[in-house]
Amino acid sequence: MYVTHDKGMAGYICECKVKGIGKKLSQDIVAKYGRKTFDVILKDWQRLLDVDGIGHMRAENLHRTFAAKFGAEVEEDRKRQNELERERSIFYHKLGLSGWLRRAIENKYGEHYAKGVIERNPYQLAEDIDGIGFKRADEVASKLGYGKEDPRRIRAGLKFALQEQMQQAGHCCMPRVMLAAKAAHKNVLDIDIEQVKPEIDTAIAEGLLVENMDALYLPKYRDAERYVAETIKTMVKNRTIPTNAEVIVDMAKQQTGINYSSEQRDAIRKAATEGVMILTGGPGTGKTTTLRGMLAVLTYYGYTYELCAPTGRAAKRMSEMTHQEAMTIHRLLDYQNGKFSRDENNPLAADVIICDEASMVDLLLMQSLLRAMKVGAKFIIIGDNDQLPSVGSGRVLGDLIDSGKVPTVKLTQIHRQAEGSYIIYNAHRIINGNFPILDNRNANDFFFDNVEDEEKAAKEVISLVKTRLSEKYPGKEIQVLCPNRKNASGCNMLNVIMQEALNPDGHQTEFHGTIYRKGDRVMQIKNNYQKGVFNGDVGTVTAADGDSIYVMFDDGEAAQHYDDDELGELDLSYATTIHKSQGSEYDIVVIVLMTSAGIMLQRNLLYTAVTRAKSVCLIVGQKDAIYKCIAEWRMTPRITRLKERIQL
């Protein structure tokens, strides 16, 4: 009865064996009404009289016979479908895959085939279904009777272990033995490492992993590393015919009125002559001044350029520094419908691309940026390699510098206008492994508030933000930074108590225990390309009612609406993690630093926090926590092969 093609429908009518209606008339009926034939016979049978050779008696008999036969089949089919639905419901319920997860699975595989897919390999769910990772798929597999040593489980565990290390440690790849050990660990597969090792080759054969340069990758990350390395190597060779060096610098001086240091002069020359170059240096070393000289030279020689940065706040700051339009990388590359519209087939028109805060750019984003540059374009990369690396996988800026193959200028001289800043002075002391000066009475921008207890630290922060700092520096933006989220002095707890202290009243919306009120400061914690807001963007709640809110972002033109399904993309941001503050600057920064932060206490973490402050930096916490930061140079080195690829 479900056949819809003409021959099938005509055959079904013949099978009804209605007197006077044979093959010829059945075909004529179908020719007349096509795919609507069955509906006509069942619901509007008088229309059959329009077919030559069918009178009232034949039409009515066909309707009655057809309805009886069809109805019986429909009822039988309904019972069969109900039984199948009961079986599927029980199946999903036993596996803990009810509700939206079941709908997502059946949308992916089809309701009649999904059960078979799950039974054959439940770990496929982790590959295909958002919201199901390895751990959830492993629970499903266990309920289906899969053993811990099942090869399919081991291969899925290998991929999961690599993904986990990429997310947690920022690795792009891992050596065989290391990955096997991570996968075998009790937190993943909980089996002997010797059972894991043989499955690596099978995982490679199946395309789950690829092996290259003595390391295992997810395929797209191997491809991204190759692309970035080869493109950068091509750009290095793309030098323009050097003009007299002094002419270039003198022209920049003439355009800007600035006497440049020898380091800055070198950078300006390289900007004019190199196909790719890196400008790096700490705070107060004149990166902004140098960039202005670069732009003057590029303009003089007729180059068109685009300015970009990884975050909205970083792009806004770049615009303010240069008095030129700067965009986020995502906006520059025109992200639409889940992908960048700018690529090799639709490249950017600019002759030069200049990217600031490059330490924040991960491997995949760098690949996308390079893909969008036209053939022969110059690339100027600006960033502080001593800051925290990107949240995503890779250490692109560090690898480019460490390769020794990319022309690089590191600014080291602290310029006169910055010499009186203890923020800058202490930032350099910190990154060089020296304890910051905390008790200098002449300092007017760097302070230390010694507090040994976490709860007291939280109360001190409230007092500072609510009254003491806000009264002393009216109208200035104050941002609290923490190494981590948890603990009594972590940003999660601080956000709750600061919200109550600073914004206790008004209309509110609650989402999974988090209250949002009109006037709250919030941060976007994941990219939302449809709204055009990205991880790290900060805004203010302009309305909160029922199960939705409106947020006006600092660089936005209109308030963005967030319904109940989207509120998980936001965090309160009275306090935020130091990682999340990268690429941003604030008038006043309050850093909460307690020994309870444990392994998060790293030198480059403290350095990054201090350098977020434009006017005032105040550390609330323990001297022992500062000592621990100084002692720990940087977090576990990230495993990549980008440097080596560039060196080949």
Side-chain angles (χ1 to χ4, degrees):
M1 66 181 169
Y2 293 110
V3 288
T4 56
H5 55 84
D6 292 355
K7 289 183 179 179
M9 288 191 289
Y12 188 90
I13 295 170
C14 280
E15 290 177 3
C16 290
K17 299 187 183 305
V18 177
K19 187 177 179 179
I21 299 181
K23 183 177 180 180
K24 175 65 167 62
L25 275 180
S26 297
Q27 291 173 344
D28 290 346
I29 293 170
V30 174
K32 177 76 171 175
Y33 299 111
R35 294 178 179 268
K36 297 180 180 179
T37 298
F38 286 5
D39 285 338
V40 170
I41 296 172
L42 285 166
K43 302 173 185 179
D44 197 12
W45 62 269
Q46 289 89 350
R47 292 176 61 189
L48 295 171
L49 299 175
D50 295 336
V51 179
D52 290 341
I54 297 184
H56 190 278
M57 182 82 63
R58 287 179 177 175
E60 188 174 3
N61 286 342
L62 177 59
H63 165 69
R64 291 176 177 174
T65 305
F66 197 91
K69 180 177 175 62
F70 197 90
E73 292 185 3
V74 167
E75 179 61 23
E76 184 175 339
D77 185 70
R78 185 185 65 79
K79 291 180 179 179
R80 186 166 60 252
Q81 291 302 319
N82 286 343
E83 181 60 31
L84 289 172
E85 173 58 26
R86 281 194 294 272
E87 290 178 3
R88 287 196 297 267
S89 294
I90 293 170
F91 175 78
Y92 286 111
H93 182 74
K94 285 183 177 179
L95 299 180
L97 297 173
S98 321
W100 70 270
L101 279 177
R102 175 185 171 178
R103 291 192 295 273
I105 292 167
E106 291 187 338
N107 286 338
K108 175 66 178 179
Y109 305 126
E111 66 177 19
H112 298 291
Y113 302 102
K115 182 172 178 288
V117 173
I118 296 170
E119 289 174 332
R120 283 192 299 274
N121 185 7
Y123 297 100
Q124 191 65 37
L125 295 171
E127 296 286 326
D128 299 333
I129 308 298
D130 289 337
I132 298 182
F134 170 79
K135 295 289 188 181
R136 188 70 175 271
D138 202 33
E139 291 174 2
V140 172
S142 180
K143 292 173 181 177
L144 289 171
Y146 280 64
K148 294 176 70 173
E149 297 80 18
D150 189 288
R152 290 163 293 188
R153 179 175 186 264
I154 295 174
R155 294 194 291 274
L158 280 163
K159 183 175 180 179
F160 169 73
L162 179 54
Q163 290 172 320
E164 191 174 51
Q165 288 300 305
M166 292 169 67
Q167 293 168 359
Q168 295 178 357
H171 301 321
C172 291
C173 56
M174 294 182 74
R176 275 191 177 231
V177 175
M178 184 181 293
L179 179 56
K182 292 291 185 182
H185 193 271
K186 64 181 181 180
N187 292 334
V188 183
L189 294 172
D190 192 24
I191 61 176
D192 189 272
I193 190 173
E194 296 304 320
Q195 294 174 293
V196 176
K197 290 178 179 178
E199 292 302 322
I200 292 177
D201 288 324
T202 307
I204 294 171
E206 292 181 350
L208 295 175
L209 305 173
V210 293
E211 189 168 26
N212 189 229
M213 299 188 70
D214 298 320
L216 295 165
Y217 291 81
L218 297 181
K220 73 175 181 179
Y221 283 86
R222 188 275 314 270
D223 295 343
E225 258 195 11
R226 281 179 171 175
Y227 186 92
V228 171
E230 292 305 314
T231 305
I232 291 293
K233 286 161 69 174
T234 299
M235 286 181 162
V236 168
K237 298 175 183 176
N238 187 31
R239 300 184 77 246
T240 54
I241 299 173
T243 309
N244 182 283
E246 294 307 312
V247 170
I248 294 175
V249 178
D250 288 344
M251 188 282 302
K253 178 182 176 181
Q254 183 181 347
Q255 294 289 317
T256 63
I258 298 171
N259 287 315
Y260 297 101
S261 69
S262 59
E263 294 172 339
Q264 292 173 314
R265 294 167 72 89
D266 187 28
I268 293 169
R269 286 193 295 267
K270 283 184 167 61
T273 59
E274 300 291 347
V276 57
M277 63 93 52
I278 297 170
L279 176 66
T280 186
T285 57
K287 291 196 297 293
T288 299
T289 302
T290 306
L291 174 58
R292 290 175 183 151
M294 290 174 171
L295 296 180
V297 167
L298 294 172
T299 301
Y300 179 83
Y301 283 108
Y303 289 106
T304 59
Y305 53 81
E306 294 280 5
L307 307 178
C308 64
T311 67
R313 288 184 72 101
K316 183 180 180 181
R317 184 159 58 87
M318 195 180 189
S319 293
E320 293 168 349
M321 293 187 306
T322 62
H323 307 294
Q324 304 283 338
E325 183 185 16
M327 294 180 273
T328 63
I329 296 173
H330 285 82
R331 183 182 167 199
L332 177 67
L333 303 188
D334 192 20
Y335 193 93
Q336 296 181 11
N337 301 319
K339 64 179 182 179
F340 295 113
S341 67
R342 294 289 190 173
D343 57 18
E344 301 95 331
N345 300 316
N346 183 29
L348 298 166
D351 301 316
V352 187
I353 303 298
I354 304 168
C355 179
D356 197 13
E357 295 289 350
S359 64
M360 299 177 64
V361 180
D362 63 32
L363 178 65
L364 295 184
L365 188 56
M366 179 58 75
Q367 179 193 31
S368 296
L369 184 57
L370 290 171
R371 288 183 62 199
M373 297 183 194
K374 71 180 183 181
V375 176
K378 291 177 177 288
F379 190 21
I380 297 174
I381 305 165
I382 304 172
D384 184 353
N385 193 40
D386 290 326
Q387 290 188 29
L388 293 169
S390 59
V391 175
S393 294
R395 56 179 304 269
V396 177
L397 178 62
D399 283 342
L400 295 181
I401 294 172
D402 292 347
S403 74
K405 299 294 186 179
V406 182
T408 300
V409 177
K410 182 173 183 179
L411 304 179
T412 59
Q413 181 183 338
I414 297 177
H415 289 263
R416 185 181 305 164
Q417 60 270 30
E419 287 178 349
S421 169
Y422 273 85
I423 294 174
I424 292 173
Y425 178 72
N426 277 331
H428 285 274
R429 285 188 63 86
I430 289 166
I431 205 62
N432 290 322
N434 300 312
F435 198 83
I437 304 299
L438 303 178
D439 55 357
N440 191 321
R441 294 183 179 180
N442 295 321
N444 59 5
D445 63 352
F446 194 99
F447 308 96
F448 175 67
D449 197 342
N450 189 48
V451 182
E452 293 295 327
D453 179 80
E454 283 195 285
E455 293 185 2
K456 289 181 180 178
K459 291 179 180 178
E460 182 71 3
V461 169
I462 297 298
S463 174
L464 286 164
V465 175
K466 188 175 182 179
T467 53
R468 292 152 57 191
L469 288 173
S470 58
E471 290 175 359
K472 188 174 182 179
Y473 305 98
K476 297 292 186 180
E477 181 184 22
I478 304 171
Q479 182 62 57
V480 178
L481 301 181
C482 309
N484 58 1
R485 292 184 172 277
K486 299 180 180 179
N487 304 324
S489 59
C491 63
N492 288 350
M493 182 60 69
L494 283 174
N495 271 319
V496 173
I497 61 177
M498 290 177 71
Q499 183 189 49
E500 283 304 306
L502 302 173
N503 190 30
D505 303 315
H507 293 289
Q508 65 183 47
T509 294
E510 185 173 349
F511 177 79
H512 289 196
T514 299
I515 293 172
Y516 298 98
R517 297 188 180 117
K518 182 180 178 181
D520 279 339
R521 293 291 284 168
V522 294
M523 177 180 286
Q524 186 79 16
I525 58 173
K526 63 184 294 188
N527 293 335
N528 187 318
Y529 301 108
Q530 284 69 42
K531 294 184 189 303
V533 293
F534 304 99
N535 191 353
D537 287 352
V538 176
T540 301
V541 178
T542 58
D545 191 17
D547 54 1
S548 68
I549 65 174
Y550 286 85
V551 179
M552 176 64 77
F553 287 92
D554 292 348
D555 57 347
E557 298 178 356
Q560 298 288 343
H561 178 252
Y562 288 77
D563 59 26
D564 187 55
D565 294 334
E566 299 172 312
L567 289 173
E569 298 179 5
L570 297 172
D571 263 352
L572 293 173
S573 67
Y574 295 100
T576 190
T577 64
I578 297 167
H579 282 85
K580 287 290 188 183
S581 73
Q582 280 187 270
S584 299
E585 283 188 341
Y586 312 92
D587 295 325
I588 302 169
V589 167
V590 178
I591 306 169
V592 184
L593 212 63
M594 309 296 292
T595 55
S596 58
I599 62 171
M600 296 300 298
L601 298 175
Q602 306 279 341
R603 195 188 303 178
N604 56 344
L605 185 97
L606 180 56
Y607 173 79
T608 300
V610 169
T611 55
R612 300 309 91 202
K614 290 193 289 187
S615 302
V616 175
C617 179
L618 195 156
I619 299 176
V620 176
Q622 301 163 308
K623 284 188 178 181
D624 284 349
I626 300 177
Y627 278 115
K628 189 169 182 180
C629 286
I630 302 300
E632 298 292 333
W633 164 224
R634 55 172 82 237
M635 290 175 274
T636 304
R638 296 188 169 188
I639 303 173
T640 80
R641 295 290 186 265
L642 180 59
K643 179 184 77 173
E644 291 80 3
R645 294 183 192 277
I646 295 172
Q647 292 173 333
L648 290 176

